[in-house]
Amino acid sequence: MGKYFGTDGFRGEANVTLNAEHAYQIGRFLGWYYGELRRQKGDATTPQIVIGKDTRRSSYMFESMLVGGLVASGADAYILHVTTTPSVAYIARVDQFDCGIMISASHNPYYDNGIKLINHNGEKMDPEVIDLIEAYIDGNLTAFGKSWGGDIPKAKRDKIGRSIDYASGRNRYIGYLISLGVYSFKGIKVALDCANGSAWNIAPSVFNALGATVSVINANPDGLNINANAGSTHIEGLQKYVVEHGMDVGFAYDGDADRCLAVDEKGNVVTGDHILYLYGRYMKDRDKLVNNTVVTTVMSNFGLYKAFDQLGIDYAKTKVGDKYVYEYMSKHGCHIGGEQSGHIIFSKYASTGDGILTSLKIMQAMIGQKKKLSTIIEPLYIYPQVLKNVRVGDKEAAQNDPDVKQAVQRVADLLGDTGRILVRPSGTEPLIRVMVEAETKAQCEELVDSVIQVIRDKGLADE
C-alpha cells in the first residue's frame, strides 16, 4: 500500500482525496513512461493507452484530465467510454496496449471515485510502476538512471498524442462474452440489477443475444445514483423482484461490474462462496478442475471448506483481496478462485474478476445440469458468522500479545472441527478484526466477545 494507491487503485472522494490534478499527473506520467520505455529499446512509435470509466459524474472529469496528460506526454489515448473494469483488462491484453486505465470506485457511493491501472497483460499494474507514479506526484521521481524530480518533458509538434474514440473495443468485448455462452438461454427468465453502473447496457446486451427473457432494474444512470440502494451491495431489491416476478434467477453487479452476486428462484442470496462451490463442483464432475483446486481467501465461510472436503476438492486460502487470489492462481495454474463478495476469477477466460462472465458461468452450470439454482446450492451449509472490529493503538502488539493468542487458541480448541476463529489486522485502519464461525449465531457472539474482552483487559484497545 502506497501513499496514494491502495490494493485497488487510487481511490477517494472526488476533488477531495483524489482530484483532477492527480488524474492529469497520472496521465502525464504514463504517457511519458511508456514512450520512454519504447525509446530505450530504439522504438520511435507512439505509446497507446486505453481508458474506460463508470457512470459517476466525476468520471467524465477524470477521463478528460487523464486524456490531457497522456496526449501532452506524447501518448495516444483510446477511449472506451462507459464500460466495465474487466472489459478494459480484456482490451488492454488482446489489443496489445501499453496499459489500461479504469476510472471507478467500484461499489463505493457516487461521490467517491478511483483510478485503477492495468498492465499490458490485463492484470493489476506492476508495483514498481505504481511506486514511480507516486514519486512523480510528490516531485521526487528517479527513473531510467536519472533524477527528474517532478519535471518530465512534454511532447511537442507532431509528437503530441491524440484521443481516439474506441467504442468498437467495448463492442468486441461484448462479442467475446456472447461467444462464451455455451448454451442458449431461451425460455429462462433472468433479472439483472446493473447498479446504475458500468453494466447498465453491456449485461442486458449479452443476455438478450443469448436468448434469455431479460428483466432489468437499476439501469438508468444519472451520474449520482450508482450503487444507490442497488447492485450487489444492496441485493434486497433484486431478491424482492425475482420472487414477485417469478424469475428463474437474478444477477446483481457492482459499480464497475467486476463482481457478481446471484439470487435463486426462491429469493435466496447466492454469495461468492456459493458460486465457488457450485462451479468448482461442476468443473470437478466434468474433470475440468485443474489441480483439483479452488482458490479462496481466508474470509471464505467454514461451510465451504467442509463441503469441499466432502467432495474431495482441494482449496487454497490467500490473504483478503482479489490481487492475492489471482497471484496464487497464476503461480499454480488454477482455473477458478475468488472472494465471498462475488469477485470470481475464471483464469481461462479473464485476467481479473468479471461479474458478467461470472453470471454466464452460473447459467452454464444451471443449464448443463438441468437444475434450478436453489437445488444446486442446497448441499452447501453456510455457517453463522460474526465479525467485530476493535480499535487498537498497535495492531501488531495486540495480535501478538500472549494472553490474546491464548484466548484465540482457547476458542479454536473449543470449536475443533465445528467452526473456526480468525483474528487479523485491518489493512487500512487501526483495527483488529475478530471473526468466528460456529454452529449458532449466539455461540459466535459469545466467542468473539471473549477474545475482544481480553484485548480490552490488557489495555490494548484504543476506545
Side-chain angles (χ1 to χ4, degrees):
M1 297 265 295
K3 180 177 178 181
Y4 303 105
F5 284 80
T7 55
D8 206 21
F10 188 161
R11 186 181 293 187
E13 185 172 347
N15 275 347
V16 178
T17 306
L18 171 64
N19 59 47
E21 289 77 14
H22 289 134
Y24 180 73
Q25 288 176 303
I26 292 169
R28 282 275 286 125
F29 175 85
L30 292 173
W32 167 81
Y33 176 76
Y34 285 104
E36 191 63 28
L37 274 182
R38 291 182 179 226
R39 286 187 286 274
Q40 296 279 328
K41 299 173 183 176
D43 181 352
T45 57
T46 302
Q48 299 178 328
I49 294 171
V50 64
I51 302 177
K53 65 175 181 287
D54 70 15
T55 57
R56 291 162 217 271
R57 179 171 292 181
S58 62
S59 291
Y60 294 82
M61 171 183 71
F62 289 124
E63 179 186 64
S64 297
M65 298 302 287
L66 281 161
V67 170
L70 288 167
V71 301
S73 287
D76 287 346
Y78 287 72
I79 304 171
L80 292 170
H81 305 285
V82 171
T83 193
T84 66
T85 292
S87 75
V88 177
Y90 172 78
I91 292 298
R93 175 170 55 87
V94 300
D95 286 357
Q96 299 180 321
F97 281 95
D98 292 277
C99 75
I101 305 172
M102 179 64 185
I103 305 161
S104 177
S106 191
H107 57 278
N108 287 26
Y110 82 90
Y111 48 79
D112 286 343
N113 216 326
I115 297 175
K116 301 182 183 183
L117 302 180
I118 297 163
N119 69 18
H120 67 281
N121 291 320
E123 303 162 343
K124 288 181 185 289
M125 182 59 77
D126 312 85
E128 54 269 26
V129 177
I130 298 294
D131 290 344
L132 292 174
I133 295 171
E134 296 204 339
Y136 172 64
I137 292 173
D138 285 339
N140 55 20
L141 174 65
T142 298
F144 302 108
K146 179 179 175 180
S147 178
W148 302 89
D151 185 25
I152 54 178
K154 291 186 175 75
K156 297 176 182 176
R157 300 192 177 189
D158 64 333
K159 299 301 182 185
I160 294 172
R162 304 168 298 159
S163 62
I164 297 161
D165 186 301
Y166 207 55
S168 60
R170 180 185 61 198
N171 293 337
R172 283 192 296 104
Y173 166 73
I174 293 173
Y176 172 65
L177 289 178
I178 293 169
S179 76
L180 298 179
V182 175
Y183 302 107
S184 167
F185 296 170
K186 187 175 181 180
I188 301 176
K189 293 182 288 185
V190 180
L192 302 176
D193 183 343
C194 296
N196 295 310
S198 291
W200 80 274
N201 63 354
I202 295 178
S205 298
V206 172
F207 276 84
N208 280 319
L210 289 168
T213 301
V214 182
S215 297
V216 186
I217 61 174
N218 300 313
N220 295 291
D222 62 10
L224 308 179
N225 61 0
I226 187 171
N227 300 315
N229 297 313
S232 61
T233 51
H234 300 279
I235 201 167
E236 57 278 358
L238 181 62
Q239 290 177 271
K240 183 179 178 183
Y241 188 93
V242 166
V243 173
E244 289 183 351
H245 293 81
M247 309 305 290
D248 294 309
V249 64
F251 298 110
Y253 309 110
D254 63 341
D256 65 337
D258 63 353
R259 300 182 189 185
C260 169
L261 295 181
V263 173
D264 70 21
E265 77 284 356
K266 296 179 180 180
N268 299 310
V269 175
V270 178
T271 69
D273 283 346
H274 288 96
I275 297 167
L276 291 175
Y277 166 79
L278 74 89
Y279 208 80
R281 181 175 189 173
Y282 180 70
M283 292 174 75
K284 183 177 176 65
D285 288 347
R286 283 151 183 77
D287 295 322
K288 301 288 188 182
L289 187 59
V290 176
N291 297 336
N292 193 44
T293 300
V294 176
V295 183
T296 72
T297 76
V298 293
M299 290 304 292
S300 278
N301 191 270
F302 182 68
L304 178 63
Y305 301 124
K306 296 278 279 189
F308 280 158
D309 287 339
Q310 291 170 3
L311 293 169
I313 293 175
D314 296 331
Y315 45 83
K317 300 180 184 180
T318 74
K319 291 192 289 185
V320 175
D322 61 292
K323 168 187 174 183
Y324 302 109
V325 173
Y326 182 73
E327 285 177 355
Y328 186 96
M329 293 174 70
S330 297
K331 184 177 180 181
H332 298 278
C334 302
H335 278 194
I336 182 171
E339 301 183 281
Q340 264 184 340
S341 61
H343 202 129
I344 311 297
I345 301 172
F346 296 90
S347 63
K348 183 178 177 180
Y349 307 101
S351 55
T352 184
D354 187 328
I356 302 173
L357 171 61
T358 298
S359 55
L360 296 179
K361 288 298 175 184
I362 294 172
M363 292 289 288
Q364 181 179 335
M366 290 170 56
I367 298 170
Q369 297 174 90
K370 299 180 180 177
K371 292 180 180 179
K372 294 180 177 180
L373 185 53
S374 64
T375 303
I376 296 173
I377 64 172
E378 188 175 14
L380 174 62
Y381 176 70
I382 295 295
Y383 278 61
Q385 180 188 93
V386 170
L387 170 66
K388 294 185 180 180
N389 299 320
V390 56
R391 186 170 292 273
V392 296
D394 185 329
K395 290 185 283 189
E396 186 174 345
Q399 193 169 21
N400 293 324
D401 179 86
D403 291 333
V404 173
K405 291 173 76 172
Q406 187 177 29
V408 172
Q409 187 59 50
R410 187 163 55 244
V411 170
D413 291 342
L414 179 66
L415 289 170
D417 64 356
T418 65
R420 67 169 181 147
I421 181 169
L422 178 67
V423 179
R424 67 183 186 90
S426 164
T428 57
E429 301 174 89
L431 303 173
I432 291 291
R433 306 192 193 281
V434 183
M435 185 271 285
V436 168
E437 290 166 342
E439 293 178 331
T440 68
K441 188 78 174 282
Q443 187 182 20
C444 292
E445 290 274 1
E446 178 186 346
L447 295 176
V448 166
D449 289 344
S450 71
V451 173
I452 290 177
Q453 191 58 51
V454 173
I455 294 173
R456 289 176 174 147
D457 290 345
K458 290 298 297 286
L460 297 164
D462 188 15
E463 299 174 328

